[in-house]
Amino acid sequence: YAGPRVLRVSLVSANGDGLAGRFYFEAFSRPAAGHPKNSRIHSRRGRETVDLGCETLDLDWFGDEGEVVVQLVQFSGGKQSRDMPAYELRLPRDVIERYTTEASGRLDVCFGSRHFSMAPLAKQEALQRKRRFQDVLLPSSLATMLFSRLGEEQGLHVPSNAELEALQAENARLQAEHSSLLMHSSSPGQREPPACS
C-alpha cells in the first residue's frame, strides 16, 4: 500500500461580475477522501481582480477519484456551516491527470495552470453543503451529554453552548474595551493601537 499522493491546487487570481464581498475557496475530491480544504478569506471591492497570492490547497489523491470540485463560498462572518457556495468548478480525473503530467518536475507555475470559469450553483445544490455539517450518526443533544459525562469522569468542565456563547460575547466586549483603552493612552503621534497577537 503506497498511500495517497498529494494533489496541489494553486489559486492565483479571481474576477467576475458575481464576485463580491468576502469569500473563500473550498476544494475536495469526489468520492470524498477526508475533509475539504479551504483557502484564506479574500475580499473584493468594486470590479478589481483579486490576487489570491498563489495560495495552495493540498488534497489527498489516491488516483481513483472521479473528479475534483472547487467551490467559491460566500463568507457569512458567522459559523462555517452558514456559508453558502455560490460558484463551482468540476474537473474530471483525466483532466487533472493531464495537468499534473504537464506540471510534473517543473518549477514554473505556468505549466499545468489554466484559467477557469466557474458555474453558478442553484440554491438547492448550494444547500447540499450544509449536510456535511449535520451529524447524522450522533445527534447534537446526545453528543453534548456524552462529552459532558466524559469530561466529568476526567474532572473537566465541558461548557454548554450557552456558556460558550456568553464567554465569546464577554471576550469580544473585553477586546473592544482593550482597544479603546489603547487608543486613549497612545501618544499624540500614534494613530492606531499596536496589533495584538
Side-chain angles (χ1 to χ4, degrees), residues 26-103:
E26 189 168 87
F28 53 93
S29 60
R30 282 202 179 133
H35 293 286
K37 305 299 181 185
N38 293 349
S39 74
R40 295 184 311 263
I41 297 168
H42 302 278
S43 294
R44 183 181 192 204
R45 293 174 194 87
R47 298 181 57 80
E48 68 185 16
T49 295
V50 180
D51 181 1
L52 303 175
C54 288
E55 180 177 3
T56 59
L57 305 176
D58 292 344
L59 304 175
D60 289 337
W61 187 256
F62 292 89
D64 61 350
E65 293 83 355
E67 63 183 350
V68 168
V69 179
V70 179
Q71 293 180 336
L72 182 143
V73 182
Q74 296 293 334
F75 179 65
S76 67
K79 294 181 179 180
Q80 185 182 10
S81 61
R82 292 187 183 141
D83 297 347
M84 293 294 284
Y87 295 91
E88 183 176 81
L89 170 67
R90 293 172 177 251
L91 297 168
R93 180 178 58 218
D94 61 327
V95 171
I96 296 293
E97 289 171 348
R98 188 170 65 236
Y99 296 160
T100 57
T101 300
E102 180 182 319

Side-chain angles (χ1 to χ4, degrees), residues 11-31:
L11 305 171
V12 179
S13 65
N15 61 21
D17 293 334
L19 186 61
R22 298 172 69 189
F23 63 92
Y24 59 93
F25 291 92
E26 189 168 87
F28 53 93
S29 60
R30 282 202 179 133

Side-chain angles (χ1 to χ4, degrees), residues 94-145:
D94 61 327
V95 171
I96 296 293
E97 289 171 348
R98 188 170 65 236
Y99 296 160
T100 57
T101 300
E102 180 182 319
S104 181
R106 300 204 168 120
L107 298 177
D108 187 346
V109 73
C110 293
F111 291 99
S113 294
R114 299 295 186 278
H115 177 267
F116 296 104
S117 294
M118 300 181 86
L121 277 175
K123 186 171 183 169
Q124 194 60 30
E125 292 173 319
L127 288 173
Q128 288 181 0
R129 179 179 185 269
K130 289 188 177 272
R131 288 187 192 156
R132 188 174 74 229
F133 296 98
Q134 295 173 348
D135 193 357
V136 178
L137 298 176
L138 189 62
S140 61
S141 60
L142 184 59
T144 301
M145 187 176 69

Side-chain angles (χ1 to χ4, degrees), residues 147-161:
F147 291 138
S148 294
R149 184 167 292 161
L150 287 173
E152 288 172 9
E153 289 175 3
Q154 298 300 317
L156 302 172
H157 171 70
V158 179
S160 68
N161 287 340

